[in-house]
Amino acid sequence: MFDTTYDVIIVGAGHAGCEAAASSANLGSKTLLVTMNLQTTGQMSCNPAMGGIAKGQIVREIDALGGYSGIITDRTAIQYKMLNQSKGPAMWSPRAQSDRSLFSLEWRSMLEQTPNLDFYQEMIVDLIIEQDQIKGVVTALGLKIYSKSVVLTNGTFLNGLIHIGEKNFGGGRAGEKASTGLTAALEKVGFRSGRMKTGTPPRVDGRSLDYSKMKEQPGDVNPSKFSYSDLTKPLTRQLSCHITHTNMDVHDILRSGFDRSPMFNGAIQSKGPRYCPSIEDKIDRFSDKSQHQIFVEPEGWNTVEVYVNGFSTSLPDDIQFKALKLVAGFENVKFFRPGYAIEYDYFPPTQLFHSLETKNIQNLFFAGQINGTTGYEEAAAQGLMAGINAHLKVHDKPPFVLGREEAYMGVLIDDLILKGTEEPYRMFTSRAEYRTLLRQDNADERLTPKAFSLGLLGGDRLKKVEHKQKKKEGLIGFLKSTSYELNTANTILSEKKAETVNQTDKIYKLLSRPSITRKDLLCFDSVASYLCDFEIDDTVFEQAEIQIKYAGYIEKEKRNADKLKRLEGISIPRGFNFDVLASLSHEAKEKLNKIRPDTIAQASRISGINPSDISVLLVSMGR
């Protein structure tokens, strides 16, 4: 098995590792996936859900590029919801509750059916490096496995330390040992490392809960799905989640354990996720709040285990139990396991190129929480890109890099490389300046042609996208050229308490009004007939509606994106010495030499680089 050299070795089989293995193998690289426990392939370490605000867009993008996360999620979902529908379409974000056990099993099944992919179970403790180039990995048993490239996706396992109150012990996840050796090996060759912290809530027995005291949260009446492919179908039945709240009595019990909390007694020094704080952090930082939401989420179809979302904690287990019993519906709660915090090593991502290849060592790639991110979706996106670029690198092809105007994945990686992070990075729609272009509904249009060019998706998926686009453009053309019936239009407007019209006009203009929706257009016989004759489904109709209503915003963002592209086209030579540019500020020289951007546009997005510095760079690059 190890007589020949692999093209790509993936270390770790979490969300990043699984996507990296799938993409490199599907592109034709001989790939090896090495993990400490094959039984936990694709494990959902924290909440049993995929998607959410901005994260749902990322899952759609992964699917549009030929990744598996969307398909796995659809096949194992127990509930589907489209979030933020009261806001504009740039904010709509799909989210699915998953069956935790099925999710992991489905990932392993998909990977085992992937050609060019081998598996091996053991800990990787060292790297084989020669002349600043990766040559392979070394296992805990001393086995050397050679490879042309390596992708590290170690998650929270690097020197992982689990905290429950005053107790702490090594571990990368509950019930699993930490990974040791790699951090020291990387530091030895010049990498900078740091520590981060994350946490997880208790898991409880659903049979001990009183759901009548909670508010039911059902899924969408007409659920959609994540994958654009025909390999999955929307759910026909769903499980409900529930909402309850903490109260002041709960908070008082929690405070009584602060003196034994690693968050407050100095045992934990590293930073945790700002936007997913522990319950003790919430009641400390927001002491004026009398309650906090608790989301009660089932773990699967055939289990009574429940995930207590919103109650992440590292307090002593007795405090966790006493406090949770005072939450409405949890009076008779039984624990499956307490919540805990975990500290782990990460490597500041400014040490990477946009391809996710490290700057220190050629053909070595980092993806996932090793880069300081939090969340399955952010990890999976990086894994997909690292797997693609590892394959391209060993086959002497240029890297595949997505721009900020092309994908949330582009925003994610650009932020990490140019800004770095000192706390777990989470994606939000507000991080994307072109979010009207980067909607969840059009990820296939944006990215599937690129996946086809790479060889990750076949012509059938591309034809499906092109067919959808043709239908959408035809429908928009029809609405622009067809006039509405005056009486019918005024009836619709009157019902919406909107200003009526005195003369007929194109249906396109009527739909442009904020109060008018595509469903209102079904009152026009001409529209109903067109939809029927050309077999226009609601997905296409919805996209046409978005395109019409937000035409001005979309056009403005496209113009801004085009301006950015002009700067992206001006390259900065690798190894350029910024110290020779006397007109650059001292801060600019320091940051440019540290981050080493590839283009002028990347340089402009580095914190501390001002317009005058960019002018100096433009002159020095011959512009």
Side-chain angles (χ1 to χ4, degrees):
M1 180 175 174
F2 302 129
D3 287 345
T4 57
T5 299
Y6 280 94
D7 292 318
V8 184
I9 289 177
I10 313 294
V11 180
H15 297 262
C18 287
E19 286 290 4
S23 60
S24 63
N26 282 327
L27 286 169
S29 281
K30 184 64 177 173
T31 303
L32 175 68
L33 178 60
V34 188
T35 180
M36 294 195 295
N37 186 359
L38 283 167
Q39 304 306 316
T40 55
T41 299
Q43 176 85 343
M44 290 178 136
S45 304
C46 201
N47 62 315
M50 289 289 282
I53 308 303
K55 294 168 176 280
Q57 283 87 330
I58 289 175
V59 177
R60 281 269 167 95
E61 290 176 351
I62 291 170
D63 182 76
L65 277 172
Y68 289 168
S69 288
I71 294 170
I72 303 291
T73 301
D74 287 344
R75 288 179 175 175
T76 62
I78 61 176
Q79 188 194 91
Y80 182 95
K81 291 190 82 166
M82 184 66 74
L83 307 180
N84 276 345
Q85 290 195 78
S86 62
K87 300 180 180 179
M91 306 292 284
W92 298 348
S93 303
R95 184 180 189 269
Q97 290 291 129
S98 293
D99 185 307
R100 186 190 298 276
S101 298
L102 285 179
F103 190 92
S104 180
L105 288 171
E106 189 66 28
W107 250 121
R108 181 161 175 174
S109 175
M110 287 284 284
L111 290 175
E112 288 181 353
Q113 296 173 56
T114 301
N116 304 312
L117 182 57
D118 290 340
F119 303 86
Y120 192 65
Q121 180 173 295
E122 206 185 328
M123 183 191 297
I124 300 301
V125 297
D126 203 353
L127 302 172
I128 305 169
I129 298 172
E130 297 174 7
Q131 298 179 333
D132 295 333
Q133 187 165 334
I134 196 76
K135 295 295 182 180
V137 298
V138 182
T139 74
L141 292 177
L143 178 66
K144 292 183 177 180
I145 311 173
Y146 290 91
S147 176
K148 297 174 186 176
S149 68
V150 172
V151 182
L152 297 183
T153 71
N154 300 81
T156 61
F157 282 76
L158 290 178
N159 293 322
L161 185 65
I162 291 174
H163 296 267
I164 302 176
E166 295 170 299
K167 306 165 190 173
N168 61 68
F169 48 91
R173 186 163 50 207
E176 298 182 61
K177 63 183 180 180
S179 172
T180 57
L182 269 182
T183 297
L186 290 165
E187 288 176 337
K188 190 167 64 178
V189 292
F191 285 95
R192 292 176 288 109
S193 70
R195 293 285 275 177
M196 281 188 176
K197 169 250 171 190
T198 189
T200 193
R203 311 299 202 271
V204 304
D205 188 335
R207 296 170 300 180
S208 65
L209 304 182
D210 184 352
Y211 292 103
S212 68
K213 295 182 179 180
M214 308 177 198
K215 182 180 179 182
E216 186 178 5
Q217 294 284 297
D220 287 347
V221 175
N222 296 304
S224 184
K225 62 191 187 84
F226 273 101
S227 181
Y228 292 99
S229 74
D230 296 323
L231 298 175
T232 65
K233 295 180 180 180
L235 288 170
T236 55
R237 67 186 181 106
Q238 303 183 68
L239 289 180
S240 289
C241 297
H242 291 79
I243 288 181
T244 185
H245 295 84
T246 62
N247 52 59
M248 293 304 291
D249 291 336
V250 174
H251 299 180
D252 288 341
I253 293 289
L254 292 170
R255 288 191 187 95
S256 73
F258 277 11
D259 60 326
R260 293 189 286 152
S261 167
M263 290 281 295
F264 299 110
N265 66 16
I268 293 178
Q269 298 288 333
S270 49
K271 288 187 177 181
R274 178 187 299 266
Y275 302 103
C276 189
S278 64
I279 187 65
E280 56 263 42
D281 196 22
K282 282 191 278 192
I283 65 172
D284 182 58
R285 284 166 50 191
F286 308 108
S287 56
D288 58 316
K289 302 290 184 184
S290 61
Q291 63 177 27
H292 294 284
Q293 278 188 329
I294 301 293
F295 297 90
V296 184
E297 301 177 343
E299 295 258 351
W301 293 112
N302 301 307
T303 179
V304 296
E305 189 171 356
V306 168
Y307 181 87
V308 190
N309 197 340
F311 207 86
S312 175
T313 181
S314 58
L315 284 164
D317 51 328
D318 61 313
I319 295 293
Q320 294 184 34
F321 185 65
K322 289 176 185 176
L324 203 51
K325 280 176 73 70
L326 297 177
V327 172
F330 281 73
E331 292 84 358
N332 299 306
V333 67
K334 293 181 180 179
F335 272 30
F336 273 17
R337 74 170 197 230
Y340 62 86
I342 181 167
E343 288 186 289
Y344 55 94
D345 294 338
Y346 86 105
F347 291 83
T350 51
Q351 300 171 101
L352 306 175
F353 294 115
H354 276 71
S355 63
L356 298 180
E357 182 183 15
T358 67
K359 295 172 182 175
N360 286 12
I361 304 298
Q362 286 188 60
N363 294 0
L364 175 62
F365 296 77
F366 292 173
Q369 284 176 285
I370 193 173
N371 291 336
T373 59
T374 181
Y376 310 142
E377 303 83 2
E378 291 90 342
Q382 294 171 71
L384 175 71
M385 297 299 285
I388 291 171
N389 282 312
H391 163 83
L392 293 174
K393 185 70 187 292
V394 300
H395 289 86
D396 298 318
K397 295 179 181 179
F400 176 64
V401 175
L402 291 168
R404 297 180 70 89
E405 79 288 355
E406 293 178 302
Y408 272 93
M409 295 165 65
V411 175
L412 165 67
I413 293 172
D414 191 65
D415 277 355
L416 292 173
I417 275 61
L418 299 182
K419 298 175 183 177
T421 186
E422 295 180 352
E423 61 184 46
Y425 177 103
R426 178 180 176 178
M427 179 54 71
F428 289 100
T429 50
S430 58
R431 295 191 190 274
E433 59 270 49
Y434 304 114
R435 56 185 173 272
T436 307
L437 300 180
L438 309 182
R439 305 184 310 276
Q440 56 83 29
D441 64 275
N442 69 354
D444 56 341
E445 293 183 13
R446 290 184 277 118
L447 299 176
T448 295
K450 296 178 185 294
F452 176 75
S453 297
L454 285 167
L456 268 175
L457 286 177
D460 55 335
R461 282 285 293 269
L462 183 64
K463 286 178 182 176
K464 185 176 181 181
V465 173
E466 291 173 342
H467 186 58
K468 186 178 99 171
Q469 284 180 300
K470 187 176 180 181
K471 282 190 172 184
K472 180 187 70 176
E473 289 161 5
L475 176 57
I476 292 173
F478 166 78
L479 296 175
K480 281 184 174 181
S481 61
T482 306
S483 299
Y484 53 73
E485 301 149 8
L486 191 60
N487 290 338
T488 307
N490 279 328
T491 299
I492 295 169
L493 291 168
S494 297
E495 289 175 354
K496 294 294 181 79
K497 296 181 180 179
E499 186 179 350
T500 56
V501 289
N502 296 320
Q503 59 185 33
T504 190
D505 207 335
K506 304 304 179 187
I507 299 174
Y508 180 95
K509 287 193 175 181
L510 188 66
L511 186 56
S512 298
R513 292 193 176 202
S515 61
I516 303 301
T517 69
R518 64 184 183 279
K519 291 180 181 178
D520 295 321
L521 301 190
L522 297 175
C523 294
F524 298 111
D525 292 338
S526 57
V527 173
S529 296
Y530 186 92
L531 297 178
C532 182
D533 293 344
F534 291 91
E535 299 179 338
I536 307 292
D537 61 26
D538 193 60
T539 301
V540 173
F541 201 3
E542 180 184 73
Q543 278 205 306
E545 179 184 24
I546 293 169
Q547 201 83 24
I548 291 168
K549 282 190 180 298
Y550 296 88
Y553 297 103
I554 292 170
E555 191 55 41
K556 182 180 179 181
E557 284 194 4
K558 282 181 178 177
R559 288 197 300 268
N560 290 338
D562 288 340
K563 291 177 184 177
L564 177 74
K565 278 184 178 178
R566 289 197 285 272
L567 290 181
E568 290 286 6
I570 305 174
S571 299
I572 300 173
R574 287 264 172 104
F576 184 82
N577 182 10
F578 295 98
D579 290 330
V580 302
L581 302 179
S583 300
L584 280 180
S585 66
H586 177 72
E587 181 184 6
K589 290 178 183 177
E590 181 182 317
K591 291 189 173 179
L592 289 167
N593 279 319
K594 177 183 176 183
I595 295 175
R596 311 212 64 82
D598 291 323
T599 68
I600 297 293
Q602 290 177 13
S604 71
R605 296 194 292 274
I606 298 173
S607 176
I609 304 298
N610 58 47
S612 63
D613 296 322
I614 297 301
S615 296
V616 171
L617 290 175
L618 285 168
V619 171
S620 67
M621 297 301 137
R623 296 298 184 95

